[in-house]
Amino acid sequence: MSPRPAVRPGGRSARVRQSVHTAVRELLQERGRDSLTVPLVAARAGVTPSTVYRRWGTLRELLSDVAVERLRPGSPPEDLGSLRADLEDWATSFAQQTASPAGQARLRDTLAGDPDGSNSGRCAAYAAGQIETILSRAAARGEHAPDAEAVLDHVVAPLVYRALFRQEPPDADGYARSLVATVLYRLIPLP
Amino acid sequence: MSPRPAVRPGGRSARVRQSVHTAVRELLQERGRDSLTVPLVAARAGVTPSTVYRRWGTLRELLSDVAVERLRPGSPPEDLGSLRADLEDWATSFAQQTASPAGQARLRDTLAGDPDGSNSGRCAAYAAGQIETILSRAAARGEHAPDAEAVLDHVVAPLVYRALFRQEPPDADGYARSLVATVLYRLIPLP
DNA sequence: CGGCTAACGCAATATCTTTGCTTTAACCGG
DNA sequence: CCGGTTAAAGCAAAGATATTGCGTTAGCCG
């Protein structure tokens, strides 16, 4: 038997967490982020506001918690048979998500309610994990591949920077592909 | 969001804006961000809370306004005589600023209270402006130089991404220099 | 100098946040 | 399976913050 964490993971706590998350997602969709309040979320979730305050502290932290949850990849990246195809597929999909208004909002919410950096760190770890899967497949095929840091720095970072700080260009796909081309054909460690 | 379109730019409005900004900076220093509230800021600034609410909307938007103000470069980057020296100097200084806890907080505050993206856009424009100054100097010297987009994508973006999403590495300076080296010697448009 | 009006001050009201205490129910050993 | 223990939720009152209508002030402009 594995030792149990101090917090109670199952039962009521899990149900409350679930219903509060669902309430946030529904209300975000229905009424937009600006009209969200803790009492409103609590009412929809069928709990009292003090429960939300005690567990999440503030609305921002709750929104960060919900946002990072939705940034978690549902499945490993698809295997298309080559490093370039895998990276392009993942990068264009990532670019579309982050470039969309909803994706931008999720990134901002993740950062805004994250006092200790754990949620944003998790967010980066998700991307790093997906990339490492792709790169280890490439290694198994014997392909010459960059390391994960290079992909994070020169593919992920530019996409995220654009999403957060600049008006995203119309052609997110093409931009993502050009970043992949750069990291694959101009940045791979020289022989 | 920045103060609503100031129909009346001078006089009392400007004084209020100034005193509120000063109050925010002082209280940030004295008491930390978590204990900041609009009534507190208003009292320190010598205005009523409703004035702050009417001009800035929320505390977050006020903090964003103050943060982006402090991200604005005070002077053009120094001219050290070569592209590489100029870029390294600017990038290491930028890296130190963004890697510091205060710098991270400013980036987060800028994003958090910026519903329409205007403040974060300004923030990117500041960096772009400094870089363009450096690059046009290089062009005047006849140096072979990357374009500003490449520097934003492959130097600025990785630095910002690390500051926001990952635990910054101990050696921000060396990391910044390696990014500059990459963009200068491996990414410059091939002849 | 005097009218016009955006912006501020004030104060009442509405809403949200905090907190002490009580109650519930998940977990665990017997 | 059953009761003891306690983390977590509920409740409600007190406290703080946010909103808003209305009167007043002071830039701006003719």
Side-chain angles (χ1 to χ4, degrees):
Chain A
M1 304 295 188
S2 53
R4 287 250 156 215
V7 297
R8 298 181 176 185
R12 185 167 60 167
S13 289
R15 276 201 307 278
V16 166
R17 179 183 147 93
Q18 171 66 29
S19 68
V20 169
H21 273 233
T22 300
V24 168
R25 285 193 299 267
E26 288 177 359
L27 290 168
L28 277 177
Q29 176 108 14
E30 289 172 26
R31 314 195 29 174
R33 209 178 38 164
D34 291 344
S35 65
L36 267 186
T37 65
V38 169
L40 190 68
V41 170
R44 171 68 64 103
V47 302
T48 61
S50 64
T51 294
V52 176
Y53 287 120
R54 285 209 161 95
R55 272 188 69 160
W56 282 277
T58 67
L59 179 64
R60 285 170 47 182
E61 289 174 78
L62 171 57
L63 286 174
S64 178
D65 193 37
V66 172
V68 77
E69 191 75 23
R70 305 201 82 182
L71 289 169
R72 181 165 59 187
S75 55
E78 208 175 345
D79 187 341
L80 299 171
S82 80
L83 170 59
R84 176 169 195 172
D86 285 4
L87 263 188
E88 280 191 349
D89 184 65
W90 181 84
T92 52
S93 143
F94 182 83
Q96 279 170 11
Q97 281 179 11
T98 58
S100 72
Q104 293 180 26
R106 276 197 278 274
L107 285 177
R108 285 183 189 211
D109 286 347
T110 299
L111 291 169
D114 186 30
D116 63 350
S118 62
N119 281 349
S120 52
R122 204 167 308 158
C123 180
Y126 292 155
Q130 298 287 91
I131 289 164
E132 273 156 17
T133 299
I134 291 174
L135 296 182
S136 61
R137 277 195 205 126
R141 289 187 203 105
E143 290 183 280
H144 192 201
D147 58 23
E149 285 297 309
V151 179
L152 284 168
D153 281 348
H154 300 290
V155 177
V156 176
L159 290 172
V160 171
Y161 183 70
R162 294 220 173 206
L164 287 175
F165 289 94
R166 313 177 77 188
Q167 286 76 279
E168 196 68 17
D171 182 18
D173 266 33
Y175 177 60
R177 263 188 276 270
S178 78
L179 290 170
V180 169
T182 295
V183 83
L184 283 187
Y185 301 121
R186 299 172 70 186
L187 286 180
I188 284 192
L190 301 172
Chain B
M1 197 160 68
S2 27
R4 316 223 158 113
V7 183
R8 293 182 179 182
R12 185 167 61 168
S13 289
R15 277 200 307 279
V16 166
R17 180 184 146 93
Q18 171 67 29
S19 68
V20 169
H21 273 233
T22 301
V24 168
R25 286 193 298 269
E26 289 176 1
L27 289 168
L28 276 177
Q29 176 108 15
E30 290 171 25
R31 314 197 27 174
R33 207 177 41 163
D34 291 343
S35 65
L36 249 126
T37 66
V38 170
L40 190 68
V41 170
R44 170 68 64 103
V47 301
T48 61
S50 65
T51 293
V52 175
Y53 288 122
R54 284 209 162 96
R55 273 187 68 161
W56 282 277
T58 66
L59 178 65
R60 283 170 46 182
E61 291 173 76
L62 171 57
L63 286 175
S64 178
D65 193 37
V66 172
V68 77
E69 190 75 23
R70 306 201 81 182
L71 289 169
R72 182 165 59 187
S75 55
E78 208 175 345
D79 186 342
L80 298 171
S82 79
L83 171 59
R84 175 169 196 173
D86 285 2
L87 263 188
E88 281 191 348
D89 184 64
W90 182 83
T92 51
S93 142
F94 181 84
Q96 279 170 11
Q97 281 180 11
T98 58
S100 74
Q104 292 181 27
R106 275 197 279 275
L107 286 177
R108 284 183 188 212
D109 286 346
T110 299
L111 292 169
D114 186 29
D116 64 350
S118 62
N119 280 349
S120 51
R122 204 166 308 158
C123 181
Y126 291 155
Q130 299 285 94
I131 288 164
E132 273 155 17
T133 299
I134 290 173
L135 295 181
S136 61
R137 278 195 204 126
R141 289 188 204 106
E143 291 183 279
H144 192 201
D147 58 23
E149 286 297 310
V151 179
L152 283 169
D153 281 348
H154 300 290
V155 178
V156 175
L159 290 172
V160 170
Y161 183 70
R162 293 220 174 205
L164 287 175
F165 289 94
R166 312 177 77 190
Q167 285 75 278
E168 195 68 18
D171 182 18
D173 266 33
Y175 177 59
R177 262 189 277 270
S178 78
L179 290 170
V180 169
T182 295
V183 84
L184 283 187
Y185 301 121
R186 299 172 71 185
L187 286 181
I188 283 191
L190 301 171

